[in-house]
Amino acid sequence: MSSKKVINFGAGPGKLPEEVMLEVQREFVEYGDSGISVVEMSHRSQEYEAINNSAQRLIRELLDIPDTYSVMFMQGGGTGLFCAVAMNLMSRSGKADYIVTGSWSAKAAKEAAKYGSVNLVLPKTDSYVDVPPQSSWNLDPEASYVYYCDNETVHGLEFPDIPDTKGVPLVADMSSNILTRPFDITKFGVVFAGAQKNIGPSGTVLVIVRRDLLGSPLPVTPLVWDFSVMTKDNSLHNTPPTFGVFVMLRVFEWIKRQGGVQEMAARSAKKSSLIYNAIQQSAGFYLCPVKPRARSRVNIPFRIAAGAELEAKFLSEAKKRNMIQLKGHRLVGGIRASLYNAVTVEEAQTLADFMKEFQKANS
Ligand SMILES: *Cc1c(COP(=O)(O)O)cnc(C)c1O
């Protein structure tokens, strides 16, 4: 049972496992028998090298990543990677395909356009409610890569399948759904994930790159975002976000103890079904704008049909019951429940029960 008073449904930075937080707290002042904290320790020390290597080994194990891929811990957040991806891969043909299905992939496409020619695979829209079928996509066979966001955190869309790019390297932003379901890494050229949704503190980014894509960055590429440099130096070219990598290691260990990514996927399916069922069974009191096939298991945006006033009441009553950070993103409004790995099935059940009770009292 949790000792915390609140249930944190925040979209990011999001909830981390309490067990890990307590572990990190215990270890914070003195790491092992080093006599100092991990935040006071040289990144060239044996202790830190062990943390760095263990984190890398564990994420390879959890996601079944073969040696043909480089695994790096970088900085600059998900947004930093928007340009890093373009700078490292764009030189192949000078153009790239972007599948824009929400605000995060839209931002990535805008950033990439600074470094090459961006082809929008889907017609432009600002109402993101579906992942259109692949038969309707306008893919360019000469693209350097095809980019998409596997889970749109703001709009609550998740790709039901991995896109088939007919051999063009596929790049995925998995910031908000990494480690919530297994996936076949060999279908990807690059996968990256900002840490603060499912993995650890903000600022650290997990980056996985197929090794044959290394070695041709644009000349303007900063050293800290050069995948080849960071691979060669094992994420230790400059001072890495040492605390972030340390927490990530403890989160990876926690996932392994829980039963791995399969178990995270099983819990994710349960948690999201509880909320979607509450929406479905509300007979129109709650509405989810996203088409069923593209609904995210991780970020669930929904509205109350009666309007913004009742949504405000919902949020304030939820808060009185210690359910916090449920307010929808400012771009879409309404309510959003984020169900990252650290959010338990019981906590999702508590929210689903509250939704039903609130509906009864207010319809
Ligand atoms: C949060 C998020 C980002 C941005 O991360 P920053 O660390 O704030 O730059 C990018 N992509 C997705 C899918 C996200 O959820």
mmCIF file of all heavy atoms in Angstrom, residues 57 99 154 284:
data_model
loop_
_atom_site.group_PDB
_atom_site.id
_atom_site.type_symbol
_atom_site.label_atom_id
_atom_site.label_comp_id
_atom_site.label_asym_id
_atom_site.label_seq_id
_atom_site.Cartn_x
_atom_site.Cartn_y
_atom_site.Cartn_z
ATOM 1 N N ARG A 57 22.833 -2.178 -19.567
ATOM 2 C CA ARG A 57 22.623 -3.622 -19.662
ATOM 3 C C ARG A 57 21.156 -3.971 -19.388
ATOM 4 O O ARG A 57 20.546 -4.765 -20.093
ATOM 5 C CB ARG A 57 23.544 -4.345 -18.661
ATOM 6 C CG ARG A 57 23.727 -5.814 -18.949
ATOM 7 C CD ARG A 57 24.756 -6.496 -18.027
ATOM 8 N NE ARG A 57 25.790 -5.624 -17.484
ATOM 9 C CZ ARG A 57 25.870 -5.227 -16.196
ATOM 10 N NH1 ARG A 57 24.953 -5.598 -15.323
ATOM 11 N NH2 ARG A 57 26.862 -4.457 -15.799
ATOM 12 N N ILE A 99 5.063 11.730 -39.912
ATOM 13 C CA ILE A 99 3.656 11.352 -39.722
ATOM 14 C C ILE A 99 3.159 12.171 -38.528
ATOM 15 O O ILE A 99 3.468 11.846 -37.381
ATOM 16 C CB ILE A 99 3.519 9.844 -39.439
ATOM 17 C CG1 ILE A 99 4.289 9.004 -40.469
ATOM 18 C CG2 ILE A 99 2.044 9.442 -39.410
ATOM 19 C CD1 ILE A 99 4.347 7.510 -40.129
ATOM 20 N N VAL A 154 -0.327 14.632 -25.432
ATOM 21 C CA VAL A 154 -1.320 15.695 -25.262
ATOM 22 C C VAL A 154 -2.684 15.267 -25.808
ATOM 23 O O VAL A 154 -3.706 15.418 -25.145
ATOM 24 C CB VAL A 154 -0.843 16.993 -25.964
ATOM 25 C CG1 VAL A 154 -1.953 18.035 -25.977
ATOM 26 C CG2 VAL A 154 0.401 17.527 -25.273
ATOM 27 N N GLY A 284 -22.610 8.909 -22.728
ATOM 28 C CA GLY A 284 -22.465 10.265 -23.261
ATOM 29 C C GLY A 284 -22.192 11.337 -22.224
ATOM 30 O O GLY A 284 -21.974 12.493 -22.576
#
